Amino acid sequence: MDYDPLDDDCQYATDLGLIVERDGKLTPANPICGEPMMRSQKTFEESKRQLSGYMGVLGCVEGWLVVFDRRKDVPWESKLF
């Protein structure tokens, strides 16, 4: 997966020691960090497949996948992206 090393999210995860760059790719720093990341990625992929299925049934060519941030310390205007 291509990434921007200056991206805030990549830099933040790198600064926390959750991910490292190896051979030009971002990888989990260790297996403990990798498991939740893989679970999140699988959830995201499944959500995209589900949305695609709904769109197909409705005959839509465009749709939106809304990701809701459930953290309590994040203001409402920042919870949807």
Side-chain angles (χ1 to χ4, degrees):
M1 173 185 295
D2 293 332
Y3 72 98
D4 178 359
L6 299 178
D7 177 77
D8 288 341
D9 291 335
C10 290
Q11 190 60 53
Y12 182 67
T14 301
D15 290 347
L16 290 175
L18 300 174
I19 58 175
V20 294
E21 181 183 350
R22 291 188 182 116
D23 300 322
K25 296 180 181 180
L26 291 178
T27 61
N30 61 56
I32 293 171
C33 294
E35 197 273 329
M37 288 181 213
M38 292 302 296
R39 189 178 317 147
S40 295
Q41 182 64 31
K42 287 179 184 176
T43 300
F44 179 67
E45 294 300 324
E46 180 57 34
S47 297
K48 288 193 316 185
R49 278 192 293 279
Q50 185 178 23
L51 175 62
S52 178
Y54 291 150
M55 289 171 53
V57 168
L58 297 171
C60 298
V61 294
E62 289 186 7
W64 295 268
L65 176 61
V66 178
V67 179
F68 185 76
D69 189 333
R70 294 174 44 186
R71 294 175 293 177
K72 293 180 181 180
D73 60 331
V74 176
W76 275 100
E77 59 271 7
S78 300
K79 285 189 180 253
L80 295 173
F81 58 92

